[in-house]
Amino acid sequence: KQWYQRRVRGEQGDHWWSVDLVDSFSVGHVIVYQRLDVNMASYIDGAVVRVGEHICGEIEHVANKPWFRVDCKGQSGSTVSVTKGGGYLQICEVIVQAAED
C-alpha cells in the first residue's frame, strides 16, 4: 500500500513531516531519503521516526549515504512521522513499508 498525503512544518522550533494512513497499520520499516545536493548532515542527523506515538528509532547521519532505513518492528498506528527538534529538517522522500504478515 502506498500513501501520498503529507504534512510538513517549516517554522522555527521543532520541524516535522508526517503522513496520515487513515486506518491503523503495522509498519515494518521506514526509509528516509536525504537531499544529496549539498552537505545535509545537520538537516537529518538526530531525526526521529515514529509510528503513532511509538518511537521506531533515530537517524544517525553517515556521509554520502543517500537513505536511512529505520526498523519499526511491526508497530501499529495511523500516522508515521519524522521529527527533528532544534534544527531544520530537510528530506527528499519517505517510504513507509507495511509489516509482513
Side-chain angles (χ1 to χ4, degrees), residues 4-46:
Y4 297 99
Q5 298 172 325
R6 69 201 182 295
R7 301 286 185 266
V8 180
R9 180 174 187 248
E11 301 170 12
Q12 290 182 325
D14 292 346
H15 292 161
W16 55 269
W17 171 95
S18 72
V19 62
D20 181 351
L21 305 178
V22 182
D23 289 320
S24 186
F25 289 92
S26 295
V27 176
H29 63 269
V30 175
I31 298 175
V32 180
Y33 285 84
Q34 69 172 339
R35 290 178 49 188
L36 296 176
D37 54 341
V38 294
N39 181 5
M40 300 304 290
S42 65
Y43 296 114
I44 198 165
D45 192 51

Side-chain angles (χ1 to χ4, degrees), residues 26-30 69-75 96-100:
S26 295
V27 176
H29 63 269
V30 175
R69 178 182 164 138
V70 179
D71 187 6
C72 294
K73 300 176 182 160
Q75 293 288 349
V96 177
Q97 180 66 47
E100 295 184 19

Side-chain angles (χ1 to χ4, degrees), residues 1-2 9-10 20 23-24 37-38 48 51 63-66 80-81 93-94:
K1 182 157 176 109
Q2 295 179 341
R9 180 174 187 248
D20 181 351
D23 289 320
S24 186
D37 54 341
V38 294
V48 176
V51 174
N64 299 317
K65 185 172 182 178
V80 174
S81 64
E93 182 176 351
V94 177

